[in-house]
Amino acid sequence: MGDILKQVEAAMPKLCLFLLGFLLSSPALAQIYKCQEGGRTVITDQPCAGGSEMNVKPAAGKFDPKAREEVYRRIDRMSEEVQDGYRAIAEQQAREAPRAGGYEEPDECDRLREDHADAKRWEKEFVHPDNIAREKARKEKAASDSFFKCGPGKRVSVFDE
């Protein structure tokens, strides 16, 4: 009887390892279900109403490192093509952008002309000398800014003075 116990004790680590491996591999053998919930597809290990079992097969074939390298090279080429496309778009946008020559966008020029006209109108409306002086300074600033920031057709006209 003592010999049998010694043999069982000697085999115990192997038996424990076998049982541990079996328990860890059991989730890999679980069935997979495909369900529709709220208009989206859900994949789960639990059966669901209206769901169907999925038959998942392990990958067939051998690993081919040359094929993997070819796939990576194709991905790199595609990535370079995408980057070239982005560069071309940026260059085209730079060519189409307004030239930098001290000219502001038309919105700024329109705002300066409106500010000039507004200040000119209020200068005539006000009676107090401080208000008149403030509006006159505002009108002159709008005219000056317009001269330096806007093109010839967008500036405040000298006839507006």
Side-chain angles (χ1 to χ4, degrees):
M1 184 87 170
D3 289 339
I4 295 176
L5 284 177
K6 287 182 183 177
Q7 288 177 352
V8 170
E9 285 179 8
M12 190 63 77
K14 291 180 184 176
L15 182 63
C16 288
L17 232 119
F18 173 76
L19 289 175
L20 182 67
F22 180 74
L23 290 174
L24 291 177
S25 67
S26 65
L29 301 173
Q31 184 59 45
I32 299 175
Y33 300 92
K34 183 177 181 181
C35 309
Q36 293 290 328
E37 291 182 5
R40 53 186 198 155
T41 302
V42 178
I43 297 177
T44 181
D45 62 346
Q46 302 293 323
C48 51
S52 62
E53 289 185 7
M54 292 181 62
N55 189 8
V56 179
K57 298 178 184 175
K62 296 181 181 176
F63 173 72
D64 185 8
K66 290 180 182 177
R68 180 185 69 179
E69 291 302 319
E70 177 59 31
V71 168
Y72 284 153
R73 278 194 294 275
R74 285 181 27 211
I75 290 171
D76 289 342
R77 278 195 307 264
M78 291 174 149
S79 176
E80 288 172 7
E81 290 175 8
V82 168
Q83 292 301 321
D84 290 342
Y86 282 133
R87 275 189 225 103
I89 290 170
E91 289 170 2
Q92 181 180 1
Q93 288 176 343
R95 281 192 305 270
E96 293 175 356
R99 301 282 183 235
Y103 298 120
E104 288 288 324
E105 292 293 319
D107 300 346
E108 178 71 11
C109 297
D110 291 342
R111 188 193 62 76
L112 287 170
R113 279 201 322 269
E114 288 174 13
D115 196 29
H116 181 270
D118 190 47
K120 184 177 176 184
R121 182 176 69 85
W122 282 109
E123 181 186 9
K124 293 177 183 174
E125 289 287 323
F126 286 129
V127 178
H128 195 277
D130 291 342
N131 292 338
I132 295 171
R134 182 189 66 229
E135 293 303 318
K136 187 180 274 188
R138 195 173 124 210
K139 179 180 80 168
E140 289 171 1
K141 179 169 178 10
S144 174
D145 288 350
S146 164
F147 180 80
F148 289 109
K149 292 182 179 180
C150 301
K154 295 287 189 174
R155 294 181 185 145
V156 172
S157 173
V158 293
F159 299 108
D160 292 339
E161 297 294 323

